[in-house]
Amino acid sequence: MTEQPIIYTEHLTKRFGDFTAVDAISFEVQKGEIFGFLGANGAGKTTAMRMLCGLSLPTSGKATIAGFDVYKQTEKIKQNIGYMSQKFSLYEDLTIKENIRFYAGIYGKSDAFIKDKTAQLLQQLNLEAEGDKLVGSLPLGLKQKLAFSVAVFHEPQIVFLDEPTGGVDPVTRREFWNMIYEAATAGITIFVTTHYMDEAEYCNRISIMVDGKIEALDTPAGLKETYNAATMDDVFLQLARKATRSDA
Amino acid sequence: MRTLRFLLQKEFKQVFRDPAILRIIFMMPIIQLLVLPWAADYEVKNIKLAIVDHDHSDYSRQFISKVTASGYFQLDQYTTSYNKAVEEVEKENADIVVEIPVHFEKDLVKESKAPLFMAVNAINGVKAVLGASYLQSIVQDYNNEIRQQWMQLPRFSPQTTIEITSSNWFNPLMDYKLFMVPGILVLLVTMVGSFLAALNIVKEKEVGTIEQINVTPIKKYQFILGKLIPFWVLGLLILTIGLAISLIVYGIHPAGSFLTIYAFAAVYLLVVLGLGLLISTYCNTQQQAMLISFFLMMIFILLGGLYTPIESMPQWAQWIAKFNPVSYFIEVMRRVVLKGSSLADIAPQIGIILLFAFVLNGWATWNYRKRS
Ligand SMILES: Nc1ncnc2c1ncn2[C@@H]1O[C@H](COP(=O)(O)OP(=O)(O)OP(=O)(O)O)[C@@H](O)[C@H]1O
Ligand SMILES: [Mg+2]
């Protein structure tokens, strides 16, 4: 018997008026996986992710997250996930420590837990001396790493990352992915969108969305084989070329 | 409870770290209270009179000296020609024409009343109208005085005296500042309460942090309380600063108790905060929130009874004023400050304001969605 998938969707759809942003997507993600959610601008990635996080009500279809229904059990879902939105969403006018404390606090973590884990985290990020700096004053790469750390601070089962490395330099991106791997090793399922094909290679499996539909879903190696391509770039280009809609 | 504590800690830190908010909290009351009452000072002095005296009697001269001795009026023209007086108004040398008819003295003695004709320059309407009403009260006073003199004489029966009370009995010195300052305080509290709160929430939408909040298990009511409580405190803080300024600078000691003012303000702030929250649920950008806020503030000020007494507004405007929370607070403030009303006296207003608070907060809470 296989384990129940931690993310399960069936014909999940979101319409805005008569525009179908997410068109009947069906897929499963297993516990502990790093799942890459690819697609061109406007393909519908953010919209799909927001439905999975309980931020947006699906128009139709089914989905469960950690066994909880996205229609009826959003509060349960929220207890079990972390989310890093496409927009930077830490408070720039609070310090690093204050941000961590605030988000950990509202997830109901104890003061002792917060204190210990904050110290540990700052050490990991080499920020021991900078805990009292305002987040707004940090460089982008560091902000993104911090946002990720905050998103997994309360030890969720799944973390949703919406373009976490957009605009970040290659070295920092590497460090960022090391953090993702660490979280995955700790048992957190990773659901991540990206426009960088080198990052797609780091995922266990990836789906490629075109115009609201999932056009392909496999391991990076599997996809390259299917599409007879040397790189993920190639695979993506072959699929994305079919797109008729584009935000860009 | 613990969640709320974390929310409150965050809000207070952010508020007191924001130089713009601090400026608003401390500078706005100071500047508005120091400048506005002077600029908007409708206490009219130096009203220029053109007096057309057709009577040339002792009484008319006595009357004129009484008018000029009041300190509010300046005699610009003393003439017998009405046209000449009107010319003075046209040249803006005079604000009011007073025509003393022939037989002024005779009528006064015989019928114990004498008609006076008054024409006011409508260009500076406020000055002229207020001037006219001062003038009227002086005339009444004068009338009264004369009757009292006659009272000494037995042939006048006592029933001819009429008790004349000033219509400004609760503001005996006609001190306009005493009237304006409490009203301005109300506007300050209103602005801070609703618009700072609205902008604050909309800013979280704009920046995107609200999305992060919505994906946490925070309950709707916790988030809303976390936003309302800090601005409720700020509102009371501004009120305190404002009351201190009016005490120190203008020497305004409320005739009633501070406790009454605070009690009403505490409830009133729930209304303004509810309004702020409501605005924020309908706006996605701070710009939109600002525009709506300005629009509402305009109505609140114009139909709040700060400048124009509500009783002298047209019927439709009086109806709107009934739905204007600002008008209730201004009324209550003036009553407590000038008349010394107690909590029991303003119970009806508290009731209405509570109703407003329930409706606005209920509507806003209903409209605030964690999920789109
Ligand atoms: N609230 C909304 N109302 C109407 N249309 C929307 C709404 N949100 C998203 N859309 C549309 O749905 C489509 C998918 O948007 P979405 O943000 O999900 O794309 P995306 O794959 O995340 O793109 P990107 O890579 O640019 O982030 C776009 O065409 C967008 O304009
Ligand atoms: Mg997106």
Side-chain angles (χ1 to χ4, degrees):
Chain A
M1 241 190 88
T2 51
E3 219 180 326
Q4 195 193 357
I6 194 150
I7 300 175
Y8 168 82
T9 75
E10 196 183 320
H11 299 300
L12 191 66
T13 301
K14 179 82 185 187
R15 280 191 210 100
F16 297 109
D18 49 14
F19 173 74
T20 309
V22 174
D23 195 355
I25 57 173
S26 305
F27 64 92
E28 290 172 10
V29 178
Q30 302 304 322
K31 192 168 165 48
E33 251 192 306
I34 299 178
F35 189 84
F37 201 57
L38 275 53
N41 290 129
K45 305 180 295 293
T46 300
T47 309
M49 196 181 264
R50 293 184 78 244
M51 284 193 282
L52 299 180
C53 294
L55 285 170
S56 161
L57 193 68
T59 310
S60 63
K62 274 194 238 169
T64 61
I65 306 297
F68 300 113
D69 186 80
V70 290
Y71 291 93
K72 290 180 229 125
Q73 295 172 297
T74 47
E75 295 310 307
K76 287 261 174 44
I77 291 176
K78 286 171 185 178
Q79 280 287 357
N80 288 289
I81 62 168
Y83 173 62
M84 192 177 156
S85 76
Q86 198 167 351
K87 270 185 177 177
F88 180 70
S89 53
L90 295 181
Y91 290 97
E92 307 226 344
D93 51 356
L94 294 181
T95 67
I96 297 176
K97 280 184 186 164
E98 286 165 350
N99 268 290
I100 297 174
R101 197 180 134 70
F102 171 67
Y103 280 113
I106 58 182
Y107 278 104
K109 294 295 169 192
S110 73
D111 285 332
F113 174 93
I114 296 174
K115 194 162 166 266
D116 289 351
K117 207 168 169 193
T118 302
Q120 196 187 322
L121 173 65
L122 291 180
Q123 193 189 9
Q124 221 177 357
L125 292 172
N126 281 322
L127 289 173
E128 287 119 311
E130 276 135 311
D132 293 320
K133 267 196 180 169
L134 292 183
V135 164
S137 69
L138 303 175
L140 179 70
L142 194 49
K143 278 186 187 170
Q144 293 300 95
K145 286 201 269 183
L146 190 64
F148 174 74
S149 307
V150 169
V152 295
F153 195 88
H154 60 286
E155 301 175 340
Q157 292 196 51
I158 314 165
V159 64
F160 292 89
L161 310 171
D162 198 354
E163 285 183 46
T165 54
V168 172
D169 70 72
V171 178
T172 314
R173 284 209 283 132
R174 260 316 247 285
E175 290 168 359
F176 193 95
W177 273 87
N178 283 335
M179 293 174 71
I180 291 184
Y181 267 108
E182 257 170 63
T185 311
I188 299 178
T189 306
I190 313 278
F191 187 96
V192 58
T193 75
T194 179
H195 287 297
Y196 298 108
M197 288 309 133
D198 58 327
E199 292 185 352
E201 302 265 12
Y202 300 147
C203 299
N204 300 129
R205 283 193 308 147
I206 49 183
S207 74
I208 297 179
M209 234 177 141
V210 180
D211 290 353
K213 294 190 183 73
I214 290 185
E215 285 293 325
L217 196 167
D218 204 344
T219 59
L223 283 174
K224 279 185 276 193
E225 207 181 292
T226 313
Y227 289 88
N228 197 14
T231 60
M232 274 308 300
D233 249 355
D234 256 359
V235 177
F236 190 79
L237 285 175
Q238 285 185 38
L239 284 164
R241 213 170 276 139
K242 295 193 218 160
T244 50
R245 116 177 33 145
S246 172
D247 274 1
Chain B
M1 254 2 254
R2 218 174 102 85
T3 306
L4 189 58
R5 204 185 79 211
F6 281 104
L7 280 165
L8 289 178
Q9 275 177 358
K10 160 197 164 267
E11 291 304 334
F12 276 111
K13 273 182 200 143
Q14 287 182 306
V15 164
F16 287 107
R17 221 167 257 174
D18 186 343
I21 292 191
L22 287 184
R23 259 198 301 276
I24 290 174
I25 295 173
F26 293 103
M27 295 314 288
M28 206 158 77
I30 293 173
I31 292 171
Q32 292 214 353
L33 281 173
L34 291 188
V35 176
L36 267 186
W38 301 93
D41 187 353
Y42 289 166
E43 181 195 341
V44 179
K45 288 211 172 99
N46 304 324
I47 304 162
K48 280 161 284 175
L49 289 183
I51 295 184
V52 190
D53 188 354
H54 297 300
D55 197 39
H56 293 288
S57 60
D58 275 348
Y59 276 134
S60 73
R61 268 186 293 274
Q62 217 177 43
F63 170 71
I64 291 165
S65 74
K66 187 152 173 57
V67 167
T68 46
S70 71
Y72 293 118
F73 299 97
Q74 266 178 5
L75 190 58
D76 166 68
Q77 272 277 327
Y78 179 75
T79 165
T80 49
S81 152
Y82 182 72
N83 287 342
K84 210 163 160 202
V86 170
E87 238 171 67
E88 284 302 297
V89 172
E90 279 166 1
K91 282 191 268 174
E92 307 240 328
N93 288 334
D95 300 302
I96 299 182
V97 176
V98 180
E99 196 174 19
I100 301 172
V102 223
H103 310 314
F104 177 70
E105 182 177 279
K106 230 162 91 192
D107 289 349
L108 210 59
V109 171
K110 257 199 184 148
E111 292 159 38
S112 80
K113 74 169 182 226
L116 271 176
F117 176 76
M118 236 187 286
V120 298
N121 176 7
I123 291 179
N124 187 347
V126 175
K127 190 174 181 184
V129 170
L130 269 171
S133 75
Y134 291 174
L135 202 58
Q136 236 139 25
S137 66
I138 291 172
V139 173
Q140 280 175 342
D141 249 18
Y142 180 61
N143 247 340
N144 210 25
E145 224 170 78
I146 288 169
R147 282 202 197 104
Q148 302 240 294
Q149 283 171 17
W150 296 341
M151 279 276 289
Q152 326 293 351
L153 308 170
R155 65 187 167 103
F156 287 95
S157 56
Q159 76 243 26
T160 51
T161 52
I162 304 159
E163 178 99 15
I164 296 171
T165 49
S166 164
S167 59
N168 295 306
W169 62 275
F170 57 86
N171 191 358
L173 300 174
M174 284 290 286
D175 185 348
Y176 212 77
K177 283 175 203 74
L178 207 55
F179 203 59
M180 284 303 287
V181 168
I184 292 173
L185 250 175
V186 169
L187 290 184
L188 272 172
V189 170
T190 308
M191 285 208 266
V192 171
S194 61
F195 307 142
L196 277 191
L199 284 182
N200 178 288
I201 300 173
V202 174
K203 186 179 164 196
E204 291 224 20
K205 275 195 194 177
E206 221 176 59
V207 176
T209 43
I210 203 152
E211 183 101 329
Q212 201 67 41
I213 295 284
N214 284 343
V215 84
T216 69
I218 289 184
K219 302 253 179 344
K220 195 154 118 172
Y221 81 89
Q222 291 171 327
F223 178 77
I224 289 174
L225 277 181
K227 287 291 180 195
L228 293 193
I229 294 173
F231 287 95
W232 186 79
V233 173
L234 282 187
L236 292 181
L237 184 66
I238 293 228
L239 181 67
T240 308
I241 296 174
L243 287 173
I245 292 176
S246 40
L247 188 69
I248 296 164
V249 179
Y250 299 106
I252 298 178
H253 292 268
S257 94
F258 279 112
L259 207 69
T260 314
I261 295 179
Y262 276 95
F264 189 85
V267 182
Y268 176 77
L269 272 167
L270 298 181
V271 177
V272 253
L273 290 171
L275 182 70
L277 194 65
L278 187 63
I279 294 174
S280 76
T281 61
Y282 282 104
C283 299
N284 286 315
T285 64
Q286 296 190 69
Q287 230 166 23
Q288 289 170 350
M290 283 287 254
L291 277 174
I292 295 190
S293 298
F294 271 126
F295 171 73
L296 287 176
M297 204 62 202
M298 207 78 132
I299 295 178
F300 283 171
I301 295 176
L302 292 178
L303 295 177
L306 179 62
Y307 298 104
T308 323
I310 290 171
E311 301 80 55
S312 57
M313 289 177 189
Q315 196 58 43
W316 60 266
Q318 292 195 25
W319 271 103
I320 296 177
K322 281 200 208 313
F323 292 96
N324 180 358
V326 173
S327 70
Y328 293 93
F329 197 14
I330 290 183
E331 188 190 339
V332 164
M333 264 303 222
R334 285 178 177 162
R335 281 192 187 198
V336 176
V337 170
L338 300 168
K339 261 166 83 174
S341 298
S342 70
L343 212 49
D345 297 327
I346 58 165
Q349 281 85 355
I350 293 187
I352 294 173
I353 280 295
L354 263 176
L355 195 69
F356 274 118
F358 275 113
V359 171
L360 285 173
N361 284 290
W363 182 1
T365 310
W366 172 78
N367 202 41
Y368 171 82
R369 288 188 192 87
K370 280 186 78 176
R371 171 143 93 157
S372 57

